[in-house]
Structures are given as structure tokens and as C-alpha cells.
Amino acid sequence: MSLRPRARVASYTAAELWRRGPDDIPAELVSSTHLIYSSPAALAFNSPGAEGFGVKRAGLSVPGSVMLVVAPGCCGRNTSSVSELPGYEHRFFYLLMSETDLITARHLARIPRAVKAVCESLPDPPSVVMVCITCVDALLGTDMERVCRAAEDLAGVRVRPCYMYALTREGRRPPMVNVRQSIYSLLEPARRDPRSCNLLGHFAPVEQDSDLKGLLERAGVRHVREVGSCATFEDFRDMARANFNLVLNPEAAPAAQDLSERLGIPWIELSRLYQVDRIHSQYEALGSALGVRLDQAPWRERAQDAVRAFGARHAREVFAVGECCNADPFELALALVRYGFGVAEVFGTLAPERFSHLARLAELSPQTRVYSNLEPTMIGYEPDAAVTLTVGRDAGHYHPDRPNLAWNDDVQPFGYTAVIGLFASFERVLSGKAERRGAISLRDERAQDLAAGRSSRPGPRPVRAAGRTVLRQPSLEVKGLRRVLTPFAPDQSGAVSVLFGLGGLSVIVDAGGCTGNVCGFDEPRWFAGADAVFSAGLRDMDAIMGRDDLLVKKLADAAGKIDARFVALVGTPVPAVIGTDLTALRRMSERATGLPAVAVDANGMRLYDAGAERAYRELFLTFADGIRADRGERPAREPGRLGVLGATPMDLSDPGAARALAEALCAAGWRRVTCFGMGASLDDVMSAGAAERNLVVAPSGLAAAKLLKERFGTPYDIDFPLVSALIPPIGWEGRRVLVVHQQVAADALRRELLSRGCADVRCASFFMRPDEVTQPGDVALREEADLRRAVDDMGADVVLADAVLRPLLAGYDGDFFDETHFALSGHLTRLAAVSGT
């Protein structure tokens, strides 16, 4: 169910904000004062590893570098979005932390060995290994500089830390500042070239035909270097020869200052602007600083002509300007207004330094409204009918029926050519020659799947030996090291999948990144419809001081604005490290909001099925009639009603699976099928005891089935009715098959394959293996090497498993069929049609 706000959507006009001034910014526009609403428009905020150049991609800007992510599995889960991009093959590796690591910090001793194993795996030694650590080590006080020095000594390569501390996002040294400093710390003293400079600030290059590069060339600068254009590590090292640095993003200023102090390279800061006269003034100042005259006339005239030409054809356009684009939204809005266009809305984070733009905007367009993407009431935003064209992926999200220019390519626009390119792109969008709706994230094709009920990955398919570079076997094995696989879905993702769509206000108790992993990667339904999923937005002092009262205050504020039926608190590594009592937090929340609450004790180090299991239990204990009161009364049975437990996208891996499952079960004689976790309502949860029978389709639902049987006497079965859709159409007589999936589906496949004449079928799983569906010979998988051992031990000539596991079987000459498991790979599929089940 979609929740609606009780309060108006928070927004202020430019005039109102200017009157209040930079010292009185409304609380709704200050992210630290409220819960962080997670919508596709807020993905870049909540998921620094998934959108654009977050810490993970940025850390790999140095040519020839690789990254070792040392973290709980939840922190690395969405990295497969990045690792699937061209140029990132075999550049991400993972050292997963366990609960014991959290207590003893023993993972630190494994890091140098893991770095060595990574280097030995690669055909060529890396230029540098970036060791990426997260909020957990921030709270543990890890001296990563010392650990990296130990890794350098053991592996014989450069090793640098990369801090993905979402807790410090709003501090003096946020993650994107730190990663720039780590990258440029690799530069060593070199002979200076008086005719060279560096562009600092972005991780992708400034567009090649930019007037900035042209003006520098005319000023006698022969070499303009930037990290995004370096083809080799030697090219990167040449950046140390620069005569001066130009800082194009303020987040690079501390790195530039470091280079000034360490290498003696002075620096000048420039801003990306879209007002032609301001661009002219900035270049004039640059010329004065360099002691040269910069002839801007040709580029300036072209930019002015582009603006005039567009205005002549589209004078009545009214814009909504977002912040998920290559622009300061307030400066871009001001530029558009000054050019004579209307700007109805700006979606952006208002900080004191932006009041210089807001002052003029308030003068020229006082009714322009300013919104925060992160404010809770944005769940109820209604599009402004006056808007005709949107800029930025966030603005496109709010106006899905209007032409949208995402304007967020990796290659960076700057100067006059940015203005020229912007208006040319507007023209293409309006003429239909460009995409009219920008995708919200790297993975929002899932929204299209959900809306259309389709996928590009239909049914089980044969997977041949990968044509990729095969990693070499290192001389040592390191527990928890992932050289091929990305982390699996963590427990908080499983918990949210069960809670999703029930009408609750779900709060992930994190600093932001965990919520981004859940919403931006692990919950495909999130892209297709609004649900009240929030991040607690914890910051370092919140964690250090244990400010539970501040979180409860934020929660009460959100509950007063949104028409939610209950509150759900989901744990993450941060509360696990600081020992947050989620049960006490739940009671505090109930008193503050007047709403019932559930708390799921997740920590990001367990897997999704553990989180889903706990969420089911908490839901039924809190809401199913008769359980909490434990009166011993059993509700009347509803004949023909079947409850399905364990049915979430995590295991069904298919946008339309719940419908297919219900249709198959209704065809088998059931009148009413309720899939808890995929379409059920809170009312269904409340009346769960009335079911005639329950069906468990994944291990995560088994504990809940036992609970409902204990309290209501409801019998249950364990089966996977869609099993026939998972069987590849080949001859099975005499085959020896290893099935890798969640254990309930794997066991159902086993029974079906044996009935078709297989000689031997065994199951293997990285996840829960209940005794009821596990047989002698089945295998518990922990490390990557376990899969190959399982295949060799049984002599399997057929493997049914998710396609991402295929590279683990280098040299295997049997048949391998893709049985997509979303919780493992993050891929969706489309089950083949099921009939007669």
C-alpha cells in the first residue's frame, strides 16, 4: 500500500528562504534534523557506492588499481552494479567481516594476507591496492594507515586506505574528500614542468572540446592532466610535474592543499557555472592569476547564441531543476531565470554558501519553490502542472510524464561549452531525439520489469564457460576473501523485503549507505512505487554518544507527517557495533509515536534469510490476532485460504512470481492465496491465524510456519510449486546433478529431477539449510572454493546454479544452467509459464 502524508509536502519559496537568511534555514531542508526519505531521487545520497562516482568507483580512478572492500557483506552488496560496468572486471575484491570480527577485530590481521592473495590472483601486479573500509572500522578506531603499511610490506605493492565512512558525510572530512586525498597521496616529488597543469575535482575527464582546455592551451599550457584521462600509472605520476592545479570541485580543495604543502604545487579554485557573464568574470580572474590575457570571445559568443536560439523556439518552457546532475541546482536555476525561462521548482540541499545564488533568484523569481529530496513528506509529492521540462534525474523522478534531461554523464561539462551542450541537449530532448526520461540509477531497469511484467532473462538458460580472464590461484587461502563473487543480500535486506508494502514506516538504523544498498539494489519493488523506507541518517557523534533520543524524536516527527500504521526498526552494523538496544528503542518509539512497533535485530553480517526470518517472527508476534495476548483462543478457520511464507523477491527472483505462484496454487484448488512478503497487507498479517494451511517456499518462512502452528494449530507444508519452471528441457536419465539455490527450491528440484531419472541429485547452498529439506550428501557452501569441491566430489555432469557462480568452475566441461537467485547475484529473471501445478 502507498502511504500518504498527513502534513503538506514541505517546500519554501525562494523569497521566503531569502528573508529567513542562511542562519535560519528551515529544519525540513536540513537533513540532520529528520529521517532521510529513500526515494529514487535520493539514491545518490543514500548509496555512495552505487550512483555515479561514489567512493568505490572514485577509489579506482588511478590506472591499474584494484580495490579490496573490507566490510560486512551489506556494505559491498551493491558493488556488483559497478563491477558490471566496462573497465571494472577483476578490480573489486572483498574481505567479508563476521560477527566475531566485529568483537575481536581479527579481520585486521587478515587484510595483508588478503591483499597478497589478490595480487597473486591477477595476471599483472596492480599499480596500487585501495583498501576500502566502512563505518564499522570508523567506530572501532582502526589505524588503517598502519594496516596498509603492513600489507605493502607483505605484498610488495602500494596500498592506500579508502574511507567509506557514511557517518562522516556531513563532517569536515566526508568520504569524497578523503578518497581524493588518498588518490593524490600517491604522487611523489618530481621535476616541475612550467607549461603543465592539473585539473582536480572530478574522477572522469572534463569534455575534450571544453573552452577551459582550449584557453589553457592558448595561454601556453602544453599538458593539461587529470586523473580521468590517465591511461597508465606513469601518466598519473606525471601529475606531480604540474606547475599549478585547478580545482573544479570544492571537495578536492583539501587534496590540492596537501599537494601544495607536500609538493609545492599552488592551486586555484574554479566553479562550474551556467551564467555566461559569470563564466566570463571567472576566466578574467584566472587570466589575471596566471599573468596572461585569455581570449574568450569565440566561446562566449557561441554560448550566447545557443541560449538565444533555444529561447527563440522555446520561450515558454518552465523548468524543474534537480540536484542529481552536473550543476549546482540553485546556480542553474538562476541562470535559466536570467535567460528568461520559468523555473517552478528546485530540488536541492540548501546550504549557507548557496545563498549568493538564492539572493538573485529570490529577486527575479520569488515564487520558485525549493524542496529537499530527503524530507519525509516528499513521499506525497504531487507534480506541478506548470513544469514542462526537467533537469536532473531526481526532477525526472517527480515528473515522470515530462521530458527529462538527466545531464549527469561521467564526462564533465565546464565553462561555455557546458552552456552550449546543455541547451543543445534540451533541444534534443524536446525534439524526441534523446531519452525523455532519465533512469534513476544504474539498476532501475527493474522498475520497467515490474511495470511491464517482463525481463530480459527468461527461465533457466545454459551458461557456457566465461570468456573472461581467469584469476590465478593464490598461494594462500584467506577466510572470507571473495575474488570472484560479490557479497550476497544481507539480513537487513531480507527484513525490508518482508516489511515492504505493509503500510509501515520502516527505519533502517544506519548512516545512509545501508539504506542505499537495500533500496537501490536489493528491493526491486522500490523503483516501481513509493514505500516509506527511511534512513536514520546517523552521524559520527550520534553513534559515539548513543543519541537514541534524537532518533526517536526524528521518528516521531515523521510519524506525525505520514499516515503509517506501524513503525519498523531494522538494525545495521552501526547499532551492532555501539550496542544499541533495539528492543528498548522499539518501546521508546511506541511511546513517542502512539503506533505499534517492531524491531528486527539485523547487523549486516548475517545473510538475507536470517533477516527475513526475524522480520516474519516480529510481524506475527506483534500483529497476528491472539499471539501477543496469548489467550489460548484460536481464530475460526477460513476454508480454502492458504498462507505462503518465504515468498519475497529475494528467493522468487521474478517480478511476477507472486502472481504466478498464486495462480498455480489456485489452480490446485485453493480459493485465497496470501503471499506474506510479496503482496500481503497488514490486515492479512493480522488474520494469519485464520488460514487453513501454510506453505513454506523458502527457509526464511519455516520458523514463522512453526510459530503459527504452535499458536494457532495451522499445519504447514514445505515445497516450491514453481519448480517445473526451473527445469531445463534436456534429457535427465542417468545424470548426476548439483543444484545450488535456497534449500527449499533446491530440494524441490531434487525430487523432480529424480522422478525424471537422474542417477544422483545433491543440493548445495550458501544460505539456511533446514533439516526438513536437507539430505546426507548436501553441502553447506561458505567460501568460493567450496563450490568446485562439491562439484568434483560428486562428479556432477550438470550444475543448476546462478550464472554468477560459473566463473568459479573454470575448466568444468559439464552442463551449467542458470537458476537465477536474486539474493545471491542481484539479478532478476522471468520464470517460464507454469501450468497444471
Side-chain angles (χ1 to χ4, degrees), residues 36-123:
I36 306 300
Y37 171 50
S38 296
S39 71
L43 182 59
F45 177 90
N46 268 345
S47 193
E51 180 73 4
F53 273 91
V55 171
K56 295 173 186 173
R57 278 188 80 193
L60 291 179
S61 299
V62 177
S65 61
V66 298
M67 179 173 286
L68 177 66
V69 181
V70 182
C74 66
C75 302
R77 167 64 170 168
N78 67 0
T79 310
S80 64
S81 289
V82 182
S83 59
E84 292 172 356
L85 296 174
Y88 290 90
E89 180 190 16
H90 296 329
R91 297 189 69 189
F92 283 105
F93 302 85
Y94 307 88
L95 183 61
L96 302 185
M97 291 178 62
S98 67
E99 295 172 80
T100 304
D101 296 331
L102 187 70
I103 297 169
T104 66
R106 67 180 184 182
H107 64 290
L108 301 180
R110 298 202 308 273
I111 292 175
R113 298 174 63 242
V115 170
K116 182 177 180 181
V118 165
C119 294
E120 290 179 348
S121 300
L122 296 167

Side-chain angles (χ1 to χ4, degrees), residues 456-464 728-729 801 803 816-820 827 829:
S456 59
R457 298 169 57 83
R461 58 192 180 93
V463 179
R464 305 304 174 198
F816 189 109
F817 289 91
D818 178 18
E819 296 289 359
T820 303
H827 291 155
T829 187

Side-chain angles (χ1 to χ4, degrees), residues 389-410:
L389 181 58
T390 65
V391 191
R393 292 185 170 188
D394 47 343
H397 166 72
Y398 295 120
H399 296 271
D401 298 326
R402 293 291 186 265
N404 171 251
L405 175 63
W407 196 241
N408 66 341
D409 290 344
D410 282 349

Side-chain angles (χ1 to χ4, degrees), residues 166-216:
L167 284 167
T168 63
R169 188 197 304 270
E170 293 162 5
R172 289 183 300 173
R173 292 170 63 86
M176 295 308 292
V177 168
N178 262 320
V179 72
R180 288 172 168 90
Q181 290 180 291
S182 285
I183 288 170
Y184 294 114
S185 73
L186 291 162
L187 296 179
E188 299 173 349
R191 178 177 294 181
R192 300 269 289 279
D193 177 357
R195 302 182 68 182
S196 71
C197 78
N198 297 324
L199 306 182
L200 306 183
H202 302 297
F203 301 101
V206 171
E207 53 194 354
Q208 189 56 41
D209 62 349
S210 168
D211 47 273
L212 174 60
K213 292 180 177 179
L215 289 169
L216 289 171

